[in-house]
Amino acid sequence: MKLPVSTEWLLHCASTLAQLDPGATASAAQLADYYDLPAPYLAKQLQALVRAGVLAATTGPRGGFRLGRPPGEVTLLQIVEAVDGAASPYECREIRMRGRGALPEEDCQETCVLAAKMYEAHEAWRRSLAGVTLADILAGLPDTIPARTRSIIAGTPRAPR
C-alpha cells in the first residue's frame, strides 16, 4: 500500500503536537520549519486533521494547531483516514471473467478469492492502526525527545498562517 507523502507529514506533525505542553500550539510555519516542509501546503493538509477533530486550530498571535483530544484518544487510523479516507486501496475489476481465460458467470458468484484476501489485509492494517494511539507513539520515544521538540518549536518564529 502506498500512501501520499502528506500522510507521513501529518503523522509526524500530530506526534510533534502531542509532545507539546497541554494547550500549547504550533503554527503551520513552525511545523513546516521543524520538518523542512512547504508551509502553505502543510497548512492545507493540517486543516484535514482539524475537520476530523484530531487537531484544533486557533487564530491570533499565539494561535496555531494543537491536539483536539488527549493523545490517548487519537489513533493513527484517525489521522490516516482524515487525510486519505477509509476506502480500500484494492479494487477488484473481475478480470477473471475477461479474456481467453474468462470463467463462466456461474463460477464467479462468490467474491473473488484474491479480492477477499486483499480486503482482509486492508482490514487487518486498519485494525492495527486503530490500536495505536499518539500516547503509544510518545511512550516509544526516547525520554529526551519531547523536551527537545518543545525547545525547538518554542525557538521557531511564529509566522502568520
Side-chain angles (χ1 to χ4, degrees):
M1 173 178 305
K2 186 170 175 72
L3 297 172
V5 68
S6 58
T7 304
E8 177 188 10
W9 297 0
L10 294 181
L11 286 165
H12 279 281
C13 286
S15 67
T16 297
L17 292 170
Q19 294 173 60
L20 301 181
D21 292 325
T25 63
S27 69
Q30 287 174 302
L31 292 167
D33 183 64
Y34 190 83
Y35 289 112
D36 191 25
L37 301 172
Y41 186 68
L42 179 61
K44 289 179 186 177
Q45 296 301 311
L46 290 166
Q47 289 301 322
L49 296 184
V50 172
R51 285 189 297 278
V54 171
L55 299 183
T58 55
T59 57
R62 300 300 310 159
F65 296 93
R66 63 177 169 73
L67 289 184
R69 299 189 298 274
E73 295 177 16
V74 178
T75 69
L76 297 186
L77 181 63
Q78 291 166 336
I79 296 168
V80 169
E81 287 188 344
V83 182
D84 302 310
S88 173
Y90 183 81
E91 182 181 341
C92 180
R93 292 180 176 81
E94 286 294 352
I95 68 168
R96 64 187 175 157
M97 296 174 62
R98 298 183 351 213
R100 288 181 51 201
L103 295 173
E105 192 171 325
E106 60 269 11
D107 289 343
C108 298
Q109 298 304 307
E110 300 290 322
T111 300
C112 170
V113 67
L114 293 171
K117 293 300 178 189
M118 294 302 286
Y119 297 140
E120 285 174 23
H122 179 67
E123 286 304 311
W125 180 78
R126 293 182 78 241
R127 280 191 304 275
S128 176
L129 292 178
V132 180
T133 67
L134 287 177
D136 298 326
I137 298 303
L138 295 180
L141 295 176
D143 293 339
T144 58
I145 298 298
R148 178 184 179 277
T149 298
R150 289 189 295 274
S151 174
I152 292 170
I153 292 290
T156 305
R158 300 178 74 83
R161 291 190 306 123

